[in-house]
Amino acid sequence: MNERSDEKLMQAYKEGDSEAFEILFDRYEKRLRAYFKKRLSSKHLNEVEDFFQMTWLKVHNNRKSFDGSKTFAPWMYTIALNIIRDHLRTGYAKVSKISFDENLGEDTANRTAEDRIIGHEQFEQIAEGLSLLSESQKEIVLLSDWEGFGSQEIGQILGLKDATVRQQLGRARKCLQQHLEELVK
Amino acid sequence: MSGTSRNIKSSILQALREEKQNPLKRARKTLSLLAAISLPVIGVLWFSFQQEFNIFWLLSSLVWFSMAAGAAFFYWKPQPRIVVSGFWTPWMYGKLLILFLLISAFQLLVCPHLAMISPSPHFSFDLFSPMQRMFMSWGGIASCMFFCGLSFSAIATAISLPMMGRAATGTRSKILFKLAGLAVLAQLPIAILQLSNAHLRSHFALWLTGSFLGILSLSALFSILTKKILAPKTRRAS
């Protein structure tokens, strides 16, 4: 297990260290692909691999411009998000219909069929709730609750102020909570 | 790890290795490619039209050679050599420019009338004569120049775009204009020969417009077709 931070690896990769690139690639491979799968509608799922490859090509081509004082993950996700926006500009507003994909979960192997059905139902309810949110709110919720980014990092990716992110996230969660409460009633 | 992951990873690793490579080794590879492209072309043209050679031929050859050198440089520049739909790298542009340059030299060989040169006694291709006669009958030399430009560039595009494979799928208009510009640039050596002839000079713009339109329309059509027809097929297959 390599203990070097992403930023140190990126610094080494900038200087041409191929081992550092390999570690970074392996570290983010599944996560990035899963992000594209979650972010794209079923209509665009065949483009996941293209977007995945394009992100790494852009990371490689722009690696010299990476600011070592900043964190790597938000920088890479900014590239990924720009690729989605750039290529799906016309249909971008319709993109985020989240689809349930059992392969995305990390702990699916030990789950029973009943657990999976419940999980599927919950996921569908959350997906339905997400479709009620605005595009930016949905993006913030995905980056925060799925990808695990903090508000500052999300602000870096989306070009928003920290306070705006927190405010939007609060509103989005409240909206989701109301939606789920209505379903329970 | 999936196949595509392996591909992108190995192509980036290869690019990193190339960056560390000795510049002399890279220069040798570039020169070898340049020689492989230019020696046969210049040899065949010299053999065919040596009586016609003048200062404009020399200038035209120099321009052709410089562009071929640029293409060879971009081809061997350290970079990931991978074809991703809609992503164009200097390697792909280099490959495309080489192809367009070869087609433009071939064009001169099979249709020397484009530069008001008599056909070579060694290469008497009569393949395009019926087409030229038809264009001439439509509106004389002006029509012939426009439609010859259009036809040849369309043929060049038809050959080159399928070779570009997935990168050309659903290519956006900005890239299409770049490709058309690149193809017209590769016609520059012929344009120099045309400009040297007083009779052709007045119709030169028509030929250039025809070439530009031929490439643009066909590549746009190819892009739309691959996006609309091939992409859904791939989706169904997957």
Side-chain angles (χ1 to χ4, degrees):
Chain A
M1 185 77 185
N2 198 294
E3 295 301 324
R4 276 196 285 176
S5 71
D6 292 349
E7 292 67 39
K8 279 194 178 145
L9 287 168
M10 190 60 199
Q11 197 55 43
Y13 173 31
K14 262 171 91 170
E15 285 154 19
D17 184 344
S18 45
E19 198 196 329
F21 159 72
E22 276 193 275
I23 299 166
L24 259 184
F25 186 92
D26 293 342
R27 206 174 269 183
Y28 280 93
E29 188 195 349
K30 279 185 187 164
R31 196 175 154 186
L32 188 63
R33 194 175 275 118
Y35 171 71
F36 280 128
K37 280 183 184 167
K38 275 180 279 185
R39 197 62 193 85
L40 298 171
S41 68
S42 55
K43 192 184 159 197
H44 294 283
L45 274 182
N46 64 321
E47 284 163 282
V48 166
E49 285 308 313
D50 285 340
F51 289 177
F52 174 78
Q53 292 187 331
M54 227 180 273
T55 305
W56 280 107
L57 283 174
K58 290 203 172 183
V59 164
H60 179 77
N61 290 347
N62 297 308
R63 70 191 198 276
K64 304 273 179 197
S65 67
F66 174 72
D67 181 356
S69 65
K70 298 210 170 137
T71 37
F72 170 73
W75 181 74
M76 191 177 72
Y77 273 77
T78 309
I79 293 175
L81 193 64
N82 284 340
I83 287 171
I84 297 178
R85 283 180 175 165
D86 197 34
H87 283 77
L88 304 173
R89 197 162 283 157
T90 47
Y92 185 63
K94 303 165 206 157
V95 168
S96 307
K97 172 84 175 73
I98 311 293
S99 57
F100 182 75
D101 183 352
E102 290 184 17
N103 297 320
L104 298 178
E106 285 171 8
D107 57 343
T108 52
N110 301 322
R111 291 165 67 193
T112 62
E114 196 183 354
D115 285 343
R116 285 186 188 189
I117 291 165
I118 293 166
H120 183 274
E121 276 176 8
Q122 282 174 344
F123 194 95
E124 289 298 319
Q125 285 164 359
I126 294 167
E128 201 183 305
L130 278 172
S131 66
L132 302 172
L133 303 177
S134 70
E135 267 307 302
S136 65
Q137 282 180 334
K138 210 181 301 177
E139 192 66 66
I140 290 169
V141 170
L142 279 175
L143 288 169
S144 165
D145 298 341
W146 253 281
E147 301 301 324
F149 285 118
S151 57
Q152 273 186 335
E153 290 172 321
I154 296 171
Q156 201 180 319
I157 296 170
L158 300 174
L160 297 172
K161 282 181 187 166
D162 187 20
T164 314
V165 173
R166 273 186 277 146
Q167 190 188 44
Q168 293 275 321
L169 187 61
R171 280 181 193 163
R173 280 178 179 159
K174 203 172 173 183
C175 180
L176 275 174
Q177 196 182 352
Q178 277 173 354
H179 172 74
L180 293 172
E181 276 171 5
E182 276 170 28
L183 285 173
V184 171
K185 281 176 198 171
Chain B
M1 191 188 284
S2 74
T4 44
S5 289
R6 244 192 320 271
N7 291 345
I8 186 73
K9 193 176 173 182
S10 59
S11 64
I12 291 177
L13 286 171
Q14 177 62 29
L16 288 169
R17 271 194 297 273
E18 282 177 11
E19 278 174 18
K20 287 178 199 156
Q21 213 173 44
N22 186 345
L24 276 175
K25 199 177 173 188
R26 201 183 312 147
R28 208 166 42 232
K29 280 201 286 189
T30 307
L31 283 175
S32 306
L33 179 62
L34 181 60
I37 310 161
S38 55
L39 288 179
V41 169
I42 291 176
V44 169
L45 287 178
W46 171 259
F47 181 66
S48 309
F49 305 114
Q50 51 187 295
Q51 276 87 27
E52 306 274 351
F53 267 51
N54 55 26
I55 186 78
F56 293 103
W57 269 96
L58 187 68
L59 183 66
S60 174
S61 307
L62 272 176
V63 169
W64 191 94
F65 188 77
S66 314
M67 281 195 282
F73 172 79
F74 282 119
Y75 187 92
W76 281 120
K77 196 174 171 228
Q79 63 199 297
R81 289 189 177 76
I82 186 165
V83 180
V84 177
S85 177
F87 195 89
W88 289 77
T89 56
W91 168 62
M92 309 235 11
Y93 284 121
K95 225 163 44 162
L96 205 59
L97 185 57
I98 290 170
L99 192 77
F100 283 143
L101 284 169
L102 290 176
I103 289 171
S104 99
F106 180 73
Q107 195 178 325
L108 198 63
L109 204 66
V110 296
C111 189
H113 300 292
L114 273 177
M116 279 288 167
I117 306 164
S118 315
S120 162
H122 311 292
F123 292 96
S124 51
F125 295 111
D126 221 15
L127 209 65
F128 295 98
S129 292
M131 197 173 86
Q132 284 164 11
R133 274 196 294 276
M134 186 175 74
F135 293 151
M136 285 295 278
S137 69
W138 287 351
I141 186 84
S143 150
C144 189
M145 287 289 275
F146 178 78
F147 285 108
C148 276
L150 192 84
S151 317
F152 276 116
S153 58
I155 293 168
T157 316
I159 297 168
S160 60
L161 281 176
M163 279 180 70
M164 294 297 112
R166 276 163 40 76
T169 308
T171 301
R172 302 171 75 199
S173 52
K174 196 176 133 193
I175 300 281
L176 288 179
F177 274 101
K178 259 191 196 176
L179 296 183
L182 204 65
V184 170
L185 194 72
Q187 306 270 46
L188 198 63
I190 299 179
I192 292 170
L193 295 177
Q194 287 180 337
L195 285 171
S196 70
N197 185 293
H199 186 61
L200 285 179
R201 212 169 293 152
S202 52
H203 302 293
F204 162 76
L206 282 168
W207 176 76
L208 209 62
T209 312
S211 298
F212 192 73
L213 286 178
I215 298 153
L216 203 61
S217 51
L218 203 75
S219 49
L221 187 70
F222 181 86
S223 170
I224 293 165
L225 284 178
T226 48
K227 186 88 177 167
K228 298 274 178 211
I229 299 166
L230 296 182
K233 271 186 188 170
T234 324
R235 207 177 299 155
R236 274 197 297 273
S238 64

